[in-house]
């Protein structure tokens, strides 16, 4: 752990220098002057991840290249893990790789990328009147210090998938609270023990990676807790609401409903358990609906329901804001062509394409009234309010450090029942406070 923190401290020191160099009014300065638009062929280097619906992405990019025949998109497929992808992308940006033109940014990265001067401000390309066509939370996620650095490709928020057939069989409605979910799952497991011995009550993302932070934000937030204080200046991990939520996850979710293997699950592994028919409840993002109802991937087609995440009795449902933004490298030699690609991919037509063929929830408001989109995704009608109120993770240029500390804290207390949750929270809080104090003004 000490070596990891030394490495993070070194990264943080570099970020201070970057922030000093790139703070406003110099935020628009770039090392390279954009080349004029040319009619000769141009290749844009786009760093992305391995898509869950590759055919939909291939078709969208082919359509772009047909409209812009002088622009070719070269994709570099990064690791599917957000954490591993972040490491690969930031290495290229730190090296000022001029071959890199476009990338996907997780919604938690814009503050970091902007403070370091890695992402090109998009204000001149993406005016305010156009931003108003998108869900406000998705636009806010791409902002830093009154400039915009990312265009939302979609919105993600956590939601609860469940075995509709099993809940109906035992006379249950979708659970409103976490304790109700536990009771329902336990009753179903008892009733199905002989017929389905592999059935578990819950499947979620509990590996030590960014997805764990999202899952825990939802439990902590729905207990009126938070990772940081309201002003974002200090850790709030030792608040009683936060501690009680973590204890509930350890004692009720990990030890009772899930399996120890859940501590190794990211999205794909946890979803596979559910789609094989081996979980009653499952937490995931909107894309899981399409895979769950595709007979090529799922054994429970037509047996799935989806609803808002439960809450604790004194709290309210909390969904982590997720999603991805298109960004342009500050070192790209082809920013105008890169913008042409972003504009096309974020257009109503292409977002509709992804909603219908990949179950990616649109970031454009108007598409939630589109009959074809709603026919393909009837769950959007009920979940639209969730998308409008999803909670963001802490927005700070040092979020990677904060996330690293949170991941280690949550992973340790969930995996080792003998650990003292308060002591671990105090230690994690001290580390978080140290970094927040160092970079408070970034």
């Amino acid at each position: 752990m000490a070596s990891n923190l030394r490495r993070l401290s070194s990264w943080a020191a570099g970020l201070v220098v970057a922030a000093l160099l790139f703070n406003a009014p110099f935020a628009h300065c770039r090392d390279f002057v954009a080349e004029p638009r040319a009619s000769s062929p141009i290749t844009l280097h786009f760093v992305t991840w391995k898509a869950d619906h590759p055919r939909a992405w291939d078709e969208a990019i082919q359509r772009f290249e047909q409209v812009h025949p002088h622009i070719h998109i070269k994709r570099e497929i990064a690791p599917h893990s957000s954490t591993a992808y972040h490491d690969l992308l930031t290495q290229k940006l730190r090296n000022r790789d001029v071959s890199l033109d476009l990338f996907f940014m997780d919604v938690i990265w814009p503050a970091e990328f902007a403070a370091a001067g890695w992402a090109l401000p998009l204000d001149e390309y993406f005016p305010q009147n156009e931003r108003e066509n998108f869900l406000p939370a998705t636009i806010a996620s791409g902002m830093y210090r009154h400039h915009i650095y990312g265009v939302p490709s979609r919105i993600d928020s956590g939601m609860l998938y469940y075995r509709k057939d099993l809940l109906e069989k035992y006379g249950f409605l979708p659970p409103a609270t976490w304790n109700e979910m536990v009771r329902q799952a336990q009753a179903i497991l008892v009733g199905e023990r002989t017929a389905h011995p592999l059935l578990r009550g819950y499947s979620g993302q509990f590996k030590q990676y960014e997805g764990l932070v999202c899952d825990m934000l939802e439990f902590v937030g729905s207990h009126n807790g938070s990772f940081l204080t309201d002003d974002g200046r200090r850790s709030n991990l030792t608040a009683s609401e936060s501690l009680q939520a973590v204890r509930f996850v350890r004692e009720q979710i990990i030890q009772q409903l899930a399996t120890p293997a859940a501590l190794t699950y990211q999205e794909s592994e946890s979803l596979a358990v559910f789609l094989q028919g081996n979980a009653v409840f499952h937490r995931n993002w909107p894309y899981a609906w399409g895979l769950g109802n595709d007979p090529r991937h799922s054994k429970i087609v037509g047996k799935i329901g989806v609803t808002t995440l439960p809450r604790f009795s004194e709290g309210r449902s909390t969904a982590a804001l997720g999603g991805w933004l298109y960004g342009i490298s500050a070192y790209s030699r082809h920013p105008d062509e890169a913008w042409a690609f972003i504009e096309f991919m974020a257009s109503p037509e292409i977002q509709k394409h992804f909603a219908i063929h990949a179950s990616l929830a649109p970031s454009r408001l108007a598409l939630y009234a589109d009959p074809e989109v709603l026919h393909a995704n009837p769950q959007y009608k009920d979940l639209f309010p969730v998308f409008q109120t999803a909670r963001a993770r802490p927005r700070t240029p040092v979020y990677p450090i904060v996330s690293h500390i949170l991941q280690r804290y949550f992973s340790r207390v969930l995996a080792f029942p003998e650990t003292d949750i308060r002591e671990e929270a105090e230690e994690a809080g001290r580390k978080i406070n140290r970094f927040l104090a160092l970079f408070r003004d970034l």
Side-chain angles (χ1 to χ4, degrees):
M1 177 61 179
S3 62
N4 284 340
L5 284 178
R6 282 196 296 271
R7 178 168 58 85
L8 286 167
S9 298
S10 174
W11 171 88
L15 184 57
V16 169
V17 175
L20 291 173
L21 289 174
F22 288 97
N23 271 341
F26 302 106
H28 295 283
C29 294
R30 301 173 60 239
D31 288 0
F32 299 96
V33 177
E35 294 180 358
R37 183 180 295 276
S39 57
S40 57
I42 289 173
T43 296
L44 295 178
H45 181 190
F46 176 35
V47 178
T48 180
W49 70 90
K50 185 178 180 181
D52 292 300
H53 298 81
R55 185 176 301 175
W57 282 96
D58 290 345
E59 182 180 337
I61 290 175
Q62 288 169 5
R63 287 165 65 175
F64 170 79
E65 291 179 339
Q66 290 171 356
V67 175
H68 299 272
H70 71 291
I71 303 176
H72 172 68
I73 304 300
K74 176 184 177 182
R75 281 179 286 176
E76 178 178 352
I77 306 300
H80 196 74
S81 161
S82 177
T83 304
Y85 177 25
H86 175 272
D87 291 345
L88 180 145
L89 182 56
T90 54
Q91 182 63 42
K92 291 178 179 292
L93 293 167
R94 277 195 296 268
N95 291 338
R96 301 190 175 198
D97 184 348
V98 297
S99 70
L100 173 61
D101 298 292
L102 292 146
F103 46 77
F104 266 124
M105 284 191 292
D106 196 322
V107 293
I108 56 179
W109 298 346
E112 174 197 0
F113 283 28
W118 296 334
L120 181 69
L122 302 177
D123 305 74
E124 63 180 281
Y125 296 109
F126 195 27
Q128 181 61 41
N129 63 330
E130 176 58 22
R131 299 176 209 173
E132 292 172 358
N133 295 317
F134 293 77
L135 283 158
T138 66
I139 294 297
S141 68
M143 300 289 295
Y144 181 67
R145 290 196 165 183
H146 310 295
H147 296 288
I148 191 158
Y149 293 87
V151 177
S153 67
R154 71 201 214 204
I155 186 171
D156 273 343
S157 69
M159 50 192 63
L160 185 71
Y161 293 86
Y162 60 91
R163 285 288 300 277
K164 182 172 59 175
D165 58 325
L166 291 178
L167 264 65
E168 291 175 353
K169 178 179 178 180
Y170 289 87
F172 295 134
L173 295 174
T177 68
W178 291 112
N179 285 318
E180 186 181 2
M181 187 195 79
V182 171
R183 289 193 295 270
Q184 290 183 2
Q186 289 174 336
I188 292 172
L189 291 177
V190 170
E192 298 293 314
R193 183 173 295 158
T194 301
H196 300 97
L198 296 179
L199 187 66
R200 305 300 299 183
Y202 189 86
S203 177
Q205 299 83 49
F206 296 104
K207 183 177 180 178
Q208 186 176 321
Y209 81 118
E210 184 61 34
L212 174 61
V213 178
C214 294
D215 282 43
M216 294 306 295
L217 179 149
E218 293 163 349
F219 284 105
V220 171
S222 64
H223 202 272
N224 296 325
S226 61
F227 296 159
L228 304 183
T229 53
D230 290 343
D231 61 9
R233 292 175 174 267
R234 294 187 61 80
S235 165
N236 197 42
L237 296 178
T238 57
S240 61
E241 297 86 354
S242 302
L243 292 172
Q244 289 168 17
V246 174
R247 186 174 303 279
F248 173 87
V249 176
R250 182 166 79 179
E251 296 179 355
Q252 299 297 320
I253 301 298
I254 300 299
Q255 296 179 14
Q256 298 295 324
L257 297 190
T259 165
L263 297 169
T264 69
Y265 289 169
Q266 298 185 47
E267 280 83 359
S268 58
E269 294 88 355
S270 63
L271 178 59
V273 171
F274 184 63
L275 299 190
Q276 288 298 309
N278 293 329
V280 180
F281 295 103
H282 173 58
R283 182 266 178 212
N284 215 314
W285 307 99
Y287 82 98
W289 176 267
L291 293 174
N293 287 287
D294 185 339
R296 295 172 298 177
H297 302 284
S298 175
K299 293 183 178 180
I300 53 173
V301 174
K303 300 177 180 179
I304 300 172
V306 62
T307 187
T308 55
L309 287 163
R311 56 179 175 80
F312 290 93
S313 58
E314 300 301 321
R316 65 180 191 177
S317 176
T318 299
L321 174 67
W324 291 84
L325 308 163
Y326 295 105
I328 299 177
S329 169
Y331 313 113
S332 171
R333 296 185 184 274
H334 307 292
D336 290 342
E337 288 78 9
W339 174 255
F341 177 74
I342 292 176
E343 188 175 37
F344 182 87
M345 297 297 280
S347 67
E349 293 76 16
I350 298 302
Q351 286 209 7
K352 180 175 178 177
H353 163 79
F354 282 123
I356 292 173
H357 298 289
S359 292
L360 299 183
S363 54
R364 285 185 172 270
L365 286 161
L367 291 177
Y368 289 92
D370 186 289
E372 292 177 288
V373 170
L374 292 177
H375 177 75
N377 299 276
Q379 74 278 17
Y380 286 173
K381 182 178 180 180
D382 295 328
L383 294 175
F384 184 54
V386 178
F387 296 148
Q388 293 178 297
T389 60
R391 178 181 294 193
R393 283 156 279 173
R395 293 174 62 189
T396 167
V398 293
Y399 181 80
I401 299 176
V402 172
S403 176
H404 177 86
I405 297 169
L406 290 171
Q407 290 173 37
R408 182 173 174 82
Y409 159 56
F410 292 133
S411 181
R412 180 169 170 76
V413 297
L414 295 183
F416 300 103
E418 70 278 6
T419 55
D420 186 293
I421 294 176
R422 176 174 285 279
E423 289 181 2
E424 296 291 336
E426 289 173 349
E427 177 63 19
R430 282 193 290 269
K431 293 171 183 174
I432 288 173
N433 290 339
R434 186 162 65 244
F435 284 106
L436 291 177
L438 224 118
F439 301 106
R440 191 165 289 155
D441 296 327
L442 286 183

